[in-house]
Amino acid sequence: MDMKTASLIDGKAFAADIRARVAHLTTRQGVTPGLAVVLVGEDPASQVYVRNKGRQTVEVGMNSFEHKLPADTPQAELMGLIARLNADPAVHGILVQLPLPGHLDPEAVINAIDPAKDVDGFHILNVGRLATGQRAMVPCTPLGCLLMLKDRLGDLAGLDAVVVGRSNIVGKPMAQLLVKESCTVTIAHSRTRDLAEVCRGADILVAAVGRPRMIRGDWIKPGATVIDVGINRIEEDGRARLVGDVDFDSAVQVAGAITPVPGGVGPMTIACLLANTLTACCRANGLPEPEGLTA
Ligand code: NDP
């Protein structure tokens, strides 16, 4: 018997395409976009993220401004830096790498960023704008998921979408974006009754949970498009592996299209950060917004 398998959504290739488009538009316009990344402390994972962001920012022809502060930096000093970056015309995007050390108040810091430069889309004003359908800066991971979905499916109107996870950085903004695209959206979470049955109703299934291989093939509607945001480090057969929230091997037999982990949503996040920085630069300078790179 012929076993049908889903087509893979290649996030790595898509992210490379977005970076190429961003680089092309960046060289064409008269202003060089600038991204400031602020890292407080020495969290090893954060250091890797910040290094990758800086490298990719420079690769697309933008200016990268890295600010590394010691772990015991007082709140007032961090707020002072944010105020200087807000006022600096060469800086179009500001990103404060999270998590911050415990003595700092992340909400106060994020909400001190000029909303027009808030390329992470975490400022309360951007959250509100997205929720009310106004022009916002959109969080990078859900933006990446949306761009992949639109590329794959075209018009999303009328489709049933299920987002598993209700975090402020992935689940909730993802659901808002899908509502904006006229999907019928269900947000599931740890208190959802019969999650498997809820997932089976989804034409679009977005998993942002943080539980390795939780969503199995028999939870998926045949032909559905599955976006796996999860990044879980597990130990298997004596070696370290990265797996998603979806059990890829069984899901790939049922879904119509699916993102792998790694190589799916992951690479899209930084690509969308660069896209957001370009968008912020265009808006600040009255230039047309980059087509196909915004929500
Ligand atoms: P959070 O821990 O903030 O949120 C997880 C969500 O999953 C919560 O809403 C929680 O529900 C829900 N949940 C937990 N257990 C279950 C369960 N058994 N059944 C149903 N729902 C459940 O995580 P994030 O949103 O920050 O991240 C989610 C995943 O995505 C992680 O693996 C993370 O590493 C990854 N990620 C990947 C990124 C990328 O670039 N690809 C970027 C950001 C995150 P409740 O609210 O009820 O507790």
Side-chain angles (χ1 to χ4, degrees):
M1 202 182 79
D2 226 16
M3 285 291 270
K4 278 225 169 76
T5 54
S7 54
L8 288 192
I9 303 176
D10 186 345
K12 213 171 152 192
F14 198 169
D17 177 59
I18 289 180
R19 287 196 302 273
R21 278 151 68 194
V22 168
H24 173 73
L25 292 169
T26 293
T27 46
R28 227 184 41 182
Q29 63 181 18
V31 197
T32 305
L35 173 64
V37 176
V38 180
L39 173 63
V40 187
E42 279 161 18
D43 177 64
S46 293
Q47 284 180 327
V48 173
Y49 294 143
V50 167
R51 204 162 42 238
N52 285 341
K53 285 169 187 169
R55 180 173 47 78
Q56 294 192 30
T57 303
V58 172
E59 275 170 13
V60 296
M62 296 182 180
N63 291 323
S64 168
F65 308 102
E66 277 181 32
H67 295 268
K68 293 188 178 157
L69 307 181
D72 60 357
T73 300
Q75 176 96 7
E77 199 176 314
L78 181 55
M79 296 296 250
L81 172 61
I82 303 285
R84 287 197 298 283
L85 296 173
N86 282 343
D88 185 343
V91 172
H92 304 96
I94 302 170
L95 180 152
V96 177
Q97 186 65 44
L98 301 175
L100 288 170
H103 68 284
L104 296 169
D105 174 357
E107 264 177 31
V109 172
I110 298 300
N111 289 330
I113 297 172
D114 177 349
K117 297 189 178 188
D118 168 40
V119 282
D120 255 342
F122 295 161
H123 190 291
I124 197 70
L125 216 69
N126 281 316
V127 175
R129 283 178 183 154
L130 178 60
T132 51
Q134 297 177 56
R135 200 176 73 165
M137 294 303 306
V138 175
C140 303
T141 300
L143 176 59
C145 297
L146 182 75
L147 295 181
M148 289 196 286
L149 284 167
K150 283 169 80 165
D151 180 66
R152 175 70 39 167
L153 298 170
D155 185 10
L156 308 182
L159 295 176
D160 289 324
V162 173
V163 179
V164 190
R166 55 174 162 179
S167 73
N168 290 332
I169 64 166
V170 191
K172 277 187 207 144
M174 185 74 244
Q176 299 283 7
L177 287 170
L178 292 166
V179 168
K180 199 160 160 244
E181 295 297 323
S182 299
C183 292
T184 305
V185 181
T186 303
I187 305 178
H189 44 73
S190 68
R191 306 294 299 273
T192 297
R193 268 188 274 160
D194 203 349
L195 182 61
E197 198 49 36
V198 171
C199 290
R200 278 185 205 114
D203 302 309
I204 293 171
L205 181 59
V206 181
V209 185
R211 290 183 176 253
R213 298 177 178 143
M214 185 185 79
I215 293 171
R216 301 195 314 257
D218 62 350
W219 296 20
I220 293 169
K221 185 193 226 180
T225 303
V226 178
I227 305 288
D228 190 353
V229 183
I231 300 178
N232 307 292
R233 284 173 177 78
I234 62 160
E235 189 80 35
E236 195 169 65
D237 305 329
R239 63 191 181 102
R241 282 195 66 177
L242 279 190
V243 299
D245 292 338
V246 177
D247 178 36
F248 185 84
D249 291 346
S250 61
V252 79
Q253 309 293 333
V254 188
I258 184 167
T259 58
V261 177
V265 177
M268 291 293 287
T269 298
I270 299 185
C272 287
L273 172 67
L274 303 174
N276 273 350
T277 304
L278 176 63
T279 300
C281 176
C282 291
R283 287 179 184 168
N285 290 281
L287 297 163
E289 292 193 12
E291 227 172 283
L293 297 177
T294 53

